[in-house]
Amino acid sequence: MSLPGDSLQRMTEIDFHFNTPDKLACACTLMRKATEHGVRMLVIAPVERLAAIDAALWQGPATDFVTHCTDDAPPSMRSRSAVLILAAGRPLGGHGSDRRLLVNLAEPVPIGFEGFEQLIDIVSTDDADRRAGRPRWQHYSQRGYALRRHDHRQATV
C-alpha cells in the first residue's frame, strides 16, 4: 500500500547562468564554491573542451584545488573526485548516483538531468552559444521547471 506523496519526486532545481563573458571561468568558480560545501558533481562538456576544463581546475592556489577526473579514470579515482567530467553525448548512466549537481557546458539538454537535485546550465555571450541555449531554456520551461535566472551582465557569480 502506498501513501499519498510516496510517488512524488522533487523536481530538479535549475539555475540558468547566461551572458557569461567566460563560460569556463564561470563554471570553475561555481565548481569551487560547490565543492567547498562538500557537493559532488558531474560536468557535461563538448569533448574538445575536456582538456581545457581539466587545465582550468589545476589553476590557482593549492587551497582552491578541486579534485576532478574524467569518466574514463579508474573507479578508485572517480570515487574520490568531487568533479567527474563527462563528454557530451555520453550516457549519464550511474554517474549521478552519488552526485547531486549537474553542470551543463554542452549544447544539448543533458539526457537524464532529472536524476540530479540541481542542474546549472551556463550560456556565454557568444551568439552561437546563446542560440543553442534558447531551446534548452524552452525545454526546461515547457516541462514545468522553475528556472532561476542569473544574468552575468548585471552581476558576478
Side-chain angles (χ1 to χ4, degrees), residues 101-124:
L101 174 62
L102 176 63
V103 178
N104 185 35
L105 301 175
E107 187 173 316
V109 170
I111 297 170
F113 76 88
E114 308 87 355
F116 291 81
E117 289 179 27
Q118 183 180 12
L119 166 65
I120 295 176
D121 202 309
I122 303 174
V123 179
S124 71

Side-chain angles (χ1 to χ4, degrees), residues 69-129:
C69 66
T70 56
D71 69 318
D72 60 354
S76 61
M77 184 180 286
R78 289 193 314 258
S79 69
R80 290 190 307 265
S81 295
V83 175
L84 181 62
I85 305 166
L86 183 68
R90 307 240 349 236
L92 297 182
H95 294 303
S97 61
D98 67 337
R99 299 177 191 275
R100 298 182 0 216
L101 174 62
L102 176 63
V103 178
N104 185 35
L105 301 175
E107 187 173 316
V109 170
I111 297 170
F113 76 88
E114 308 87 355
F116 291 81
E117 289 179 27
Q118 183 180 12
L119 166 65
I120 295 176
D121 202 309
I122 303 174
V123 179
S124 71
T125 55
D126 176 74
D127 286 338
D129 198 38

Side-chain angles (χ1 to χ4, degrees), residues 10 19 71 96 106 124 128 130 143 147:
R10 190 168 172 206
N19 291 322
D71 69 318
S124 71
R130 290 167 55 100
R143 283 157 182 78
L147 299 166

Side-chain angles (χ1 to χ4, degrees), residues 22-32 41 43 53 57 103 105 122 157:
D22 185 337
K23 191 172 182 171
L24 183 54
C26 175
C28 288
T29 298
L30 293 169
M31 285 187 259
R32 285 186 177 97
M41 70 200 75
V43 177
I53 294 167
L57 289 172
V103 178
L105 301 175
I122 303 174
V157 176

